[in-house]
C-alpha cells in the first residue's frame, strides 16, 4: 500500500508538472502571437526573451499564421517579423507621425537609399538628401530642399526610420538641418540589418497590379475549390485580427457565410492563439481581450474621448424609446449632425465639470467631430452620405456600441434625461 501510494503521488506530481509546463507554453505562444501581430518586429537586441520565445515556437507560429491569415513569419539571426497587411485599409492605419503624402514618399525613397548600404555602413544626411532628390527627379517628381516644408517632411521620415531602428543616429540631429539647411548641420548615421524588411514583400511584380485593392494580396492562390476556401478563411481572419470590430453588414456575402457557419472554429482558433473571447450577437461576431492591458491598443483607451464615447453610448440607450431615430434591423442607429450635437449638449450640461479642460472648452460642433472621429477609428460608427434626395450625411452608430454602457455615479438627484 505504501509503495502504491508513493507511485500514485509521483504520477500526480508529474501530471501536475506537465500541465504547468503546457500552460506556460500556451501563455508564451500567445505572448509571441500578440507581439508579432502588434509590433513592427521583435529584435534580439531590444527584446531577447521574446525573440527566443518566437524562435522556440517558430514552426507552430509560422504554420498557424500561414493557415489562417496568409501572413508570412520571417525569422533571421537578429529579428522576427510577421509580414502582414490589412484586407481593408483604414485611415487610422497610417503612420501617426506623418502629416503629408510627401512624408510617405520620402520614407520610401530613404529606404531605397538604405538598400544600397550594408550593415554598419556610415553616411551623412546630405548623402541621403542628394541621392533621393536625384532619384525623384529622374522619376519626374520635383523636390525643393530650399523649401522648409519639404525639409520637414524628410525629417519626419528620417525620425520614423530612427524610431524603427532601421537608421541609427551617430551624431547630430535632423531638426537642425530642417531649420538651417546646409553642410554644417549634417547628421551621421549607420545602417541596421533590418532595413530590407521594412516594406512588405509582394507575391507579384508591382507593375502587374492595376487597382488599389490589388495591393492587399499576400500570396497567389491557384484556381481550385480548396484554394478558394483558404482565400476566404484568410480574408476573414485578417479582418478580425486587424480591425477593432466587423459587423455582419461590413462583410462580403461569401465571407459572411463563412463567419456564420464556421463561427465555432473561428472562436476556438482566436482563443487558442491569442486568448481572445468571442461571442456571436445578432449584429455580428465580436472578440474581446479579457485583460485590461496588452500589446494591442484596447478600447476604451486611456484618452478622455473614450470616456465621452461610453457616456454617449449610455445616453443613446436611455433615449432610444424617446426619440424618433431610425434603427435598422442590424441594430445600427442613424443620427444627423444635429442629433449628435443634441446628445452631447445634454451630456455637457450635466457632466462637463468632470471632463478634461480640452473637452470643456470645445464647442458642440468641435466636440462632435472629435467623438465621431474616435468612434470611426474603432469601428463603432461612420459618416455616410444619403442617397440623392436625402438630407446630407448621417452618422451610423454601429450596434457594437450597444455592448458598452457608462454613467457617472452621483449622490442626489437622478440624471435629468432632458
Amino acid at each position: 500500500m505504501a509503495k502504491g501510494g508513493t507511485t500514485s503521488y509521483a504520477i500526480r506530481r508529474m501530471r501536475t508538472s506537465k500541465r504547468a509546463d503546457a500552460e506556460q507554453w500556451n501563455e508564451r505562444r500567445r505572448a509571441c502571437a500578440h507581439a508579432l501581430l502588434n509590433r513592427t518586429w521583435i529584435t534580439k537586441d531590444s527584446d531577447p526573451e521574446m525573440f527566443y520565445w518566437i524562435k522556440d515556437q517558430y514552426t507552430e507560429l509560422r504554420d498557424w499564421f500561414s493557415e489562417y491569415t496568409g501572413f508570412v513569419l520571417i525569422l533571421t539571426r537578429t529579428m522576427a517579423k510577421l509580414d502582414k497587411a490589412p484586407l481593408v485599409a483604414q485611415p487610422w492605419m497610417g503612420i501617426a507621425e506623418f502629416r503629408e503624402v510627401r512624408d510617405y514618399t520620402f520614407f520610401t525613397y530613404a529606404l531605397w537609399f538604405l538598400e544600397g548600404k550594408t550593415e554598419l555602413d556610415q553616411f551623412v544626411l546630405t548623402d541621403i538628401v542628394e541621392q533621393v532628390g536625384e532619384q525623384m527627379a529622374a522619376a519626374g517628381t520635383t523636390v525643393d530642399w530650399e523649401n522648409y516644408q519639404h525639409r520637414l517632411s524628410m525629417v519626419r521620415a528620417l525620425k520614423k526610420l530612427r524610431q524603427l531602428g532601421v537608421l541609427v543616429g551617430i551624431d547630430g540631429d535632423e531638426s537642425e538641418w530642417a531649420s538651417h539647411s546646409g553642410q554644417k548641420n549634417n547628421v551621421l548615421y549607420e545602417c541596421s540589418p533590418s532595413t530590407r524588411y521594412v516594406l512588405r514583400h509582394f507575391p507579384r511584380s508591382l507593375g502587374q497590379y492595376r487597382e488599389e485593392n490589388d495591393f492587399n494580396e499576400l500570396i497567389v492562390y491557384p484556381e481550385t475549390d480548396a484554394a478558394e476556401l483558404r482565400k476566404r478563411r484568410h480574408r476573414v481572419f485578417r479582418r478580425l485580427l486587424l480591425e477593432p470590430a466587423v459587423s455582419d453588414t461590413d462583410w462580403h456575402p461569401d465571407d459572411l457565410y463563412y463567419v456564420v457557419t464556421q463561427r465555432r472554429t473561428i472562436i476556438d482558433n482566436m482563443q487558442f492563439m491569442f486568448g481572445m473571447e468571442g461571442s456571436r450577437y445578432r449584429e455580428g461576431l465580436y472578440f474581446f481581450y479579457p485583460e485590461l492591458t496588452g500589446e494591442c491598443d484596447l478600447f476604451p483607451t486611456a484618452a478622455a474621448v473614450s470616456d465621452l464615447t461610453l457616456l454617449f453610448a449610455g445616453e443613446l440607450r436611455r433615449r432610444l424609446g424617446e426619440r424618433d431615430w431610425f434603427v435598422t434591423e442590424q441594430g445600427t442607429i442613424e443620427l444627423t449632425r444635429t442629433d449628435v450635437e443634441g446628445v452631447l449638449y445634454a451630456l455637457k450640461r450635466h457632466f462637463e465639470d468632470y471632463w478634461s479642460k480640452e473637452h470643456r472648452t470645445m464647442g458642440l460642433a468641435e466636440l462632435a467631430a472629435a467623438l465621431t472621429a474616435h468612434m470611426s477609428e474603432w469601428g463603432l460608427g461612420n459618416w455616410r452620405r444619403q442617397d440623392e434626395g436625402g438630407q446630407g450625411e448621417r452618422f451610423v452608430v454601429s450596434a457594437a456600441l450597444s455592448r458598452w454602457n457608462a454613467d457617472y455615479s452621483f449622490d442626489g438627484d437622478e440624471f435629468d434625461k432632458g
Side-chain angles (χ1 to χ4, degrees), residues 201-340:
H201 293 271
F202 291 88
R204 308 176 196 263
S205 169
L206 294 182
Q208 297 184 40
Y209 296 118
R210 295 291 178 263
E211 298 180 6
E212 183 178 345
N213 288 337
D214 293 341
F215 288 94
N216 66 32
E217 183 179 59
L218 292 175
I219 59 178
V220 177
Y221 300 91
E223 295 183 1
T224 64
D225 291 342
E228 183 58 36
L229 178 60
R230 187 167 184 243
K231 184 177 181 180
R232 187 181 308 165
R233 181 168 62 247
H234 288 174
R235 290 197 303 261
V236 168
F237 274 89
R238 285 169 69 183
R239 294 198 67 182
L240 290 175
L241 287 172
L242 298 182
E243 298 179 46
V246 188
S247 301
D248 283 354
T249 54
D250 298 326
W251 292 109
H252 183 279
D254 290 344
D255 295 346
L256 177 59
Y257 178 80
Y258 182 89
V259 171
V260 172
T261 59
Q262 301 297 318
R263 61 183 178 275
R264 177 42 57 191
T265 299
I266 295 172
I267 290 172
D268 288 346
N269 272 283
M270 294 286 274
Q271 202 284 328
F272 168 78
M273 186 54 68
F274 297 96
M276 294 183 182
E277 298 176 357
S279 295
R280 173 69 197 178
Y281 300 100
R282 181 184 66 176
E283 62 273 7
L285 177 63
Y286 299 133
F287 287 89
F288 305 90
Y289 192 57
E291 306 297 331
L292 295 178
T293 59
E295 288 275 355
C296 53
D297 292 332
L298 299 174
F299 181 87
T301 69
V305 69
S306 276
D307 295 340
L308 185 60
T309 302
L310 296 180
L311 287 173
F312 188 79
E315 180 62 0
L316 286 182
R317 185 187 297 272
R318 284 191 293 270
R319 291 188 174 208
L320 270 181
E322 305 174 4
R323 297 294 189 274
D324 187 22
W325 288 332
F326 179 65
V327 182
T328 68
E329 293 182 0
Q330 293 77 29
T332 60
I333 306 172
E334 295 187 3
L335 304 175
T336 65
R337 291 185 183 273
T338 302
D339 292 331
V340 175

Side-chain angles (χ1 to χ4, degrees), residues 39 41-51 78-80 164-165:
R39 301 187 201 177
W41 47 48
I42 296 91
T43 65
K44 185 166 64 174
D45 290 340
S46 63
D47 195 342
E49 182 179 60
M50 183 65 71
F51 175 81
T78 60
M79 54 85 74
L164 291 171

Side-chain angles (χ1 to χ4, degrees), residues 120-414:
L120 301 182
D121 270 357
Q122 291 193 345
F123 45 89
V124 293
L125 186 151
T126 49
D127 292 339
I128 303 177
V129 167
E130 181 180 352
Q131 292 194 35
V132 165
E134 291 176 356
Q135 187 70 12
M136 291 179 67
T141 304
T142 303
V143 56
D144 180 10
W145 298 122
E146 297 299 319
N147 186 316
Y148 179 61
Q149 296 303 320
H150 286 201
R151 296 201 302 276
L152 276 184
S153 285
M154 175 57 88
V155 166
R156 286 192 289 267
L158 293 174
K159 283 185 178 294
K160 187 61 183 180
L161 288 168
R162 290 181 69 166
Q163 180 188 341
L164 291 171
V166 174
L167 201 58
V168 181
I170 303 300
D171 184 47
D173 185 87
E174 299 89 354
S175 299
E176 291 295 320
W177 173 80
S179 300
H180 310 285
S181 177
Q183 185 72 30
K184 64 179 181 180
N185 299 300
N186 231 331
V187 184
L188 179 64
Y189 299 109
E190 278 185 358
C191 185
S192 85
S194 303
T195 302
R196 55 187 48 85
Y197 296 103
V198 177
L199 297 182
R200 181 166 65 88
H201 293 271
F202 291 88
R204 308 176 196 263
S205 169
L206 294 182
Q208 297 184 40
Y209 296 118
R210 295 291 178 263
E211 298 180 6
E212 183 178 345
N213 288 337
D214 293 341
F215 288 94
N216 66 32
E217 183 179 59
L218 292 175
I219 59 178
V220 177
Y221 300 91
E223 295 183 1
T224 64
D225 291 342
E228 183 58 36
L229 178 60
R230 187 167 184 243
K231 184 177 181 180
R232 187 181 308 165
R233 181 168 62 247
H234 288 174
R235 290 197 303 261
V236 168
F237 274 89
R238 285 169 69 183
R239 294 198 67 182
L240 290 175
L241 287 172
L242 298 182
E243 298 179 46
V246 188
S247 301
D248 283 354
T249 54
D250 298 326
W251 292 109
H252 183 279
D254 290 344
D255 295 346
L256 177 59
Y257 178 80
Y258 182 89
V259 171
V260 172
T261 59
Q262 301 297 318
R263 61 183 178 275
R264 177 42 57 191
T265 299
I266 295 172
I267 290 172
D268 288 346
N269 272 283
M270 294 286 274
Q271 202 284 328
F272 168 78
M273 186 54 68
F274 297 96
M276 294 183 182
E277 298 176 357
S279 295
R280 173 69 197 178
Y281 300 100
R282 181 184 66 176
E283 62 273 7
L285 177 63
Y286 299 133
F287 287 89
F288 305 90
Y289 192 57
E291 306 297 331
L292 295 178
T293 59
E295 288 275 355
C296 53
D297 292 332
L298 299 174
F299 181 87
T301 69
V305 69
S306 276
D307 295 340
L308 185 60
T309 302
L310 296 180
L311 287 173
F312 188 79
E315 180 62 0
L316 286 182
R317 185 187 297 272
R318 284 191 293 270
R319 291 188 174 208
L320 270 181
E322 305 174 4
R323 297 294 189 274
D324 187 22
W325 288 332
F326 179 65
V327 182
T328 68
E329 293 182 0
Q330 293 77 29
T332 60
I333 306 172
E334 295 187 3
L335 304 175
T336 65
R337 291 185 183 273
T338 302
D339 292 331
V340 175
E341 292 178 12
V343 173
L344 288 172
Y345 173 76
L347 292 173
K348 188 172 185 178
R349 186 159 61 91
H350 289 85
F351 302 136
E352 68 173 341
D353 289 344
Y354 301 90
W355 292 0
S356 66
K357 180 180 178 181
E358 178 187 12
H359 288 155
R360 288 200 305 270
T361 57
M362 280 184 178
L364 288 177
E366 191 178 6
L367 198 60
L371 171 74
T372 54
H374 187 66
M375 291 176 62
S376 297
E377 182 176 318
W378 283 95
L380 301 175
N382 59 79
W383 287 104
R384 292 181 189 171
R385 182 167 296 280
Q386 301 299 294
D387 296 334
E388 188 174 350
Q391 299 179 359
E393 285 187 320
R394 289 179 182 268
F395 189 70
V396 182
V397 180
S398 170
L401 190 68
S402 66
R403 301 301 155 191
W404 285 275
N405 190 14
D407 199 351
Y408 292 113
S409 296
F410 294 99
D411 294 327
D413 294 339
E414 184 181 353

Side-chain angles (χ1 to χ4, degrees), residues 11-80:
I11 291 173
R12 286 199 302 270
R13 185 172 61 181
M14 182 175 63
R15 288 176 178 172
T16 301
S17 177
K18 286 184 177 180
R19 284 198 298 270
D21 290 344
E23 185 56 36
Q24 183 184 54
W25 184 261
N26 289 336
E27 289 178 1
R28 287 185 178 182
R29 183 188 61 247
R30 290 167 183 165
C32 292
H34 277 285
L36 288 167
L37 189 66
N38 291 284
R39 301 187 201 177
T40 305
W41 47 48
I42 296 91
T43 65
K44 185 166 64 174
D45 290 340
S46 63
D47 195 342
E49 182 179 60
M50 183 65 71
F51 175 81
Y52 283 110
W53 284 359
I54 293 171
K55 190 174 181 180
D56 289 343
Q57 303 204 36
Y58 170 75
T59 301
E60 187 174 11
L61 290 164
R62 179 201 62 191
D63 292 349
W64 191 92
F65 280 112
S66 175
E67 178 67 18
Y68 291 98
T69 67
F71 298 161
V72 177
L73 179 55
I74 300 169
L75 182 66
T76 72
R77 62 182 177 84
T78 60
M79 54 85 74

